[in-house]
Amino acid sequence: MARRRFDKKEMIAAARRIAFDRGAGNVTLEAVAREIGATKGAVLHSFPSKTKLFEALLKDLCSDWDERFRHSHGALSGEPAAALRAYVGTFSATDPLAPSYVEAMMLALAEDPGLMQPVREAYQNYARMIDAEAKDVDLARLVWMACEGIMMLELMGLHRFEQADRSRLFRLLAQLATSSGRQDVAGD
């Protein structure tokens, strides 16, 4: 009987499900193996340590968020504050309980603070994009931080916004984002 081969994508998807369904603290090599019907050895073959698994999971979560941002940003290309508006739109459309950048950061900090470096770089890139399009950098940064704050409150279970309140807040943030942007973006 031939042994089934398990690929890294399947293992990462299992780690995401475990994090989403049972919490990030339950993501272990053994749990991933059980989730996909493999042995711990099969998982160790692809990920020689829990840190390597978390590194791949973090990259996958961030790539997913970045792809949704790029899609939104592309739709707003040439408009004032396109990057910030895309950022607000991406957060607005994100399920507050789904794995996201914020959860990716929590995973990285819990497992190995050194895993945060790619996330720091991504945040710096977003900050540069947002600042470059802003006529009012302070307002743009406040909008950016408000998005992050809403998601952090919800993710950590510190506050749950009613859907109508959440939608209203993100509409207001989108309006403020537009107000923060330069009007001459397309002509730059």
Side-chain angles (χ1 to χ4, degrees):
M1 177 160 85
R3 289 168 64 167
R4 180 171 175 239
R5 294 184 92 39
F6 299 93
D7 69 10
K8 286 184 175 186
K9 288 183 181 180
E10 186 178 8
M11 293 176 196
I12 294 167
R16 281 184 81 153
R17 284 192 304 274
I18 293 165
F20 182 73
D21 294 340
R22 294 177 249 159
N26 291 301
V27 177
T28 65
L29 298 173
E30 295 86 358
V32 169
R34 277 192 307 275
E35 183 78 13
I36 64 173
T39 65
K40 181 179 176 183
V43 177
L44 280 167
H45 181 74
S46 294
F47 300 104
S49 68
K50 186 176 173 185
T51 299
K52 291 294 183 187
L53 174 63
F54 271 77
E55 192 173 84
L57 176 57
L58 179 65
K59 182 178 179 183
D60 187 65
L61 288 166
C62 292
S63 293
D64 178 62
W65 199 95
D66 290 341
E67 180 58 34
R68 289 183 289 127
F69 169 83
R70 278 191 295 276
H71 177 74
S72 183
H73 190 240
L76 296 168
S77 181
E79 294 185 26
L84 182 56
R85 291 172 55 211
Y87 203 87
V88 171
T90 303
F91 265 118
S92 171
T94 299
D95 177 352
L97 300 179
S100 67
Y101 248 176
V102 178
E103 182 161 3
M105 289 185 302
M106 302 298 246
L107 286 169
L109 282 171
E111 186 59 27
D112 177 356
L115 294 175
M116 286 294 292
Q117 190 55 35
V119 178
R120 283 186 198 96
E121 290 169 8
Y123 268 89
Q124 293 306 311
N125 184 48
Y126 283 117
R128 281 190 295 277
M129 290 172 63
I130 289 166
D131 286 358
E133 295 177 354
K135 69 178 177 191
D136 186 339
V137 174
D138 290 338
L139 178 58
R141 288 178 180 174
L142 282 170
V143 170
W144 181 44
M145 289 184 290
C147 286
E148 293 289 335
I150 290 169
M151 294 307 285
M152 186 66 73
L153 287 170
E154 290 181 327
L155 180 67
M156 295 182 78
L158 299 174
H159 183 74
R160 293 276 182 245
F161 294 94
E162 296 294 328
Q163 185 57 44
D165 294 337
R166 189 176 193 277
S167 296
R168 191 177 63 257
L169 287 171
F170 277 112
R171 276 193 307 275
L172 175 59
L173 289 172
Q175 291 169 356
L176 292 170
T178 301
S179 298
S180 77
R182 296 191 332 253
Q183 300 301 314
D184 61 342
V185 174
D188 283 352

